[in-house]
Amino acid sequence: EVKLLESGGGLVQPGGSLRLSCAASEFTLSNYAMSWVRQAPGKGLEWVSAISGRGVSTFYADSVKGRFTISRDNSKNSLYLQMTSLRAEDTAVYYCAKSVYGSPWAFHIWGQGTTVTVSS
Amino acid sequence: EIVLTQSPATLSLSPGERATLSCRASQSVTSYLAWYQQRPGQAPRLLIYDVSNRATGIPARFSGSGSGTDFTLTISSLEPEDFAVYYCQHRSNWPLTFGGGTKVEIK
């Protein structure tokens, strides 16, 4: 079964850093455009960052640009989100998501999410 | 940034009724519009991509239509498991954005 499993969430102080991981199962992650989407408590979905299938191109929401970095390790079949200078407004469940083959940036497979809480 | 406005915010219907959800874009997204369902405590689930293509495993009662700036998700006959929040999302340009959501609740 095609699956994504996020990890790395937790409680961090404002200004701190955290690295989220997303492990892919039963498919080759490097063949797909991938993304991170977050959802603040009680709120809607917010796209955060994306990386093209070959990892050549990366994209960021203005709210995280300069603070977050998306990357992938094809040898580990994993996606990452390095988050620095964290703010209270970054508190959310973070999902990694796999694009539909042939329709990049429509997200077919989602992980279960990992929770990031930024608080002192 | 393309703003997606979903209406209504809440739709109160009974099982078996037809649901019609709207998503309006602030500028044309051509045909690059998707719909997701999210049940409480669960990750979103792709229903429709590129306006009208049902994702794998999605029942035929879900259908999408529209073009340019006005889009509709129709659920022909609501099943108990369809009561959830629905989001539209475009992939026309950067940044990707989602609509604010429509909650379909049991009347």
Side-chain angles (χ1 to χ4, degrees):
Chain A
E1 180 187 358
V2 172
K3 289 177 80 171
L4 295 168
L5 183 64
E6 301 95 337
S7 60
L11 174 64
V12 61
Q13 292 188 337
S17 299
L18 214 52
R19 187 198 197 205
L20 305 184
S21 299
C22 172
S25 303
E26 303 300 325
F27 74 97
T28 302
L29 190 142
S30 60
N31 290 341
Y32 294 88
M34 299 290 295
S35 196
W36 289 94
V37 176
R38 68 186 180 184
Q39 187 168 35
K43 302 297 184 183
L45 301 172
E46 179 188 15
W47 170 76
V48 173
S49 182
I51 187 167
S52 62
R54 296 186 179 186
V56 173
S57 300
T58 57
F59 308 91
Y60 299 93
D62 284 347
S63 58
V64 307
K65 201 171 292 182
R67 301 187 299 122
F68 290 12
T69 304
I70 191 171
S71 63
R72 66 204 307 166
D73 184 336
N74 293 336
S75 68
K76 296 183 178 179
N77 213 29
S78 291
L79 179 74
Y80 304 98
L81 186 68
Q82 178 68 48
M83 305 185 296
T84 63
S85 301
L86 283 161
R87 307 166 180 166
E89 54 265 36
D90 296 319
T91 295
V93 175
Y94 284 73
Y95 297 100
C96 65
K98 166 187 171 292
S99 291
V100 175
Y101 186 80
S103 294
W105 322 125
F107 304 118
H108 186 205
I109 302 295
W110 296 64
Q112 87 293 343
T114 187
T115 300
V116 172
T117 303
V118 183
S119 175
S120 55
Chain B
E1 171 176 321
I2 295 175
V3 176
L4 298 177
T5 302
Q6 291 188 241
S7 61
T10 304
L11 198 52
S12 299
L13 295 168
S14 301
E17 289 193 294
R18 181 184 190 90
T20 303
L21 288 65
S22 173
C23 177
R24 177 163 290 177
S26 59
Q27 64 189 79
S28 176
V29 299
T30 59
S31 61
Y32 297 134
L33 196 285
W35 291 93
Y36 300 85
Q37 176 194 68
Q38 188 176 34
R39 296 172 179 144
Q42 295 187 14
R45 173 194 182 199
L46 178 66
L47 299 174
I48 302 284
Y49 64 97
D50 295 349
V51 178
S52 59
N53 296 291
R54 270 191 304 277
T56 304
I58 300 302
R61 65 180 181 273
F62 291 94
S63 63
S65 63
S67 66
T69 61
D70 289 292
F71 301 90
T72 300
L73 173 70
T74 301
I75 310 171
S76 59
S77 178
L78 283 163
E79 296 288 338
E81 62 268 27
D82 299 336
F83 292 93
V85 180
Y86 293 82
Y87 296 96
C88 58
Q89 174 237 329
H90 85 84
R91 65 180 187 95
S92 176
N93 59 19
W94 302 100
L96 309 180
T97 56
F98 289 86
T102 290
K103 181 180 182 180
V104 179
E105 65 175 24
I106 300 176
K107 187 174 182 180

